[in-house]
Amino acid sequence: MKILIYGHSGSGKTTLAKQLAEHYKIPNFNGDDVRKMFNDWHFEINGRKIQAMRMRTLSNMVEDCIVDFICPLNHYRKYYDYTIFMNTIEKSKYENTNLIFESGEPNLEIKNWKYNIKEIIDEINLL
C-alpha cells in the first residue's frame, strides 16, 4: 500500500507521516529530504513535475510506504493507493503554491491539528 499525505507547507504532513510510518513499520519518503538529496529547490511547474516523479519512483521501490510532500496537482496523486489531505491551514506562505494547489478528492481529509492518530489508523485500516 502506498499512502500519500499532501497539503500546504506547514500543514502537518511530515508529522502525520512519521507517526503512520512508525506505526506500520514502513518507509517514509519526505519531499523536503528528497529535494535536499538532489539540491533541487525549483518550484515552477516543471520543478514540481520532476519532484512528483521522484517521489513516485521512490515509492515504487518498496511494496508499502508513506510519501509526504505538497503534491499540489491532482494528476500526480493518482499513483498512490490512498491519499490524505492535510487541510489544516487555509493557504501556503508560498503564493506560487496557492495559485496552482488543487484540494482534490482524498480518501481522508484532516481538518484539525488536534487529530487522533488512533482514529486515523482505524480509518485507514489498509495495511
Side-chain angles (χ1 to χ4, degrees):
M1 180 65 51
K2 294 170 189 353
I3 299 173
L4 169 66
I5 302 173
Y6 70 96
H8 288 296
S9 179
S11 63
K13 298 178 301 293
T14 302
T15 300
L16 178 59
K18 286 179 181 179
Q19 292 173 317
L20 292 176
E22 182 178 318
H23 173 79
Y24 290 117
K25 307 293 187 231
I26 59 176
N28 171 217
F29 300 109
N30 171 267
D32 289 341
D33 292 343
V34 171
R35 284 192 181 276
K36 285 177 193 171
M37 280 186 347
F38 288 90
N39 192 27
D40 178 1
W41 302 98
H42 301 281
F43 295 97
E44 74 288 342
I45 292 294
N46 192 50
R48 290 179 186 277
K49 177 182 178 181
I50 290 167
Q51 178 69 352
M53 293 300 103
R54 283 184 191 134
M55 300 305 282
R56 177 181 174 198
T57 298
L58 286 169
S59 72
N60 284 335
M61 295 173 68
V62 295
E63 188 172 338
D64 299 315
C65 66
I66 308 289
V67 176
D68 74 281
F69 70 116
I70 293 170
C71 197
L73 302 172
N74 286 327
H75 61 273
Y76 295 126
R77 299 178 193 142
K78 67 183 177 186
Y79 303 115
Y80 300 92
D81 302 308
Y82 195 87
T83 58
I84 301 173
F85 175 29
M86 295 299 291
N87 191 12
T88 58
I89 58 177
E90 189 173 320
K91 61 182 181 176
S92 172
K93 63 183 176 179
Y94 302 106
E95 191 56 32
N96 62 346
T97 300
N98 295 331
L99 291 172
I100 64 168
F101 194 88
E102 301 168 335
S103 57
E105 296 182 13
N107 297 100
L108 179 62
E109 183 174 355
I110 308 294
K111 296 182 179 182
N112 189 317
W113 278 91
K114 297 180 183 178
Y115 59 80
N116 180 314
I117 188 64
K118 178 158 177 18
E119 289 177 5
I120 292 171
I121 290 166
D122 289 345
E123 174 74 24
I124 295 171
N125 196 24
L126 296 173
L127 300 175

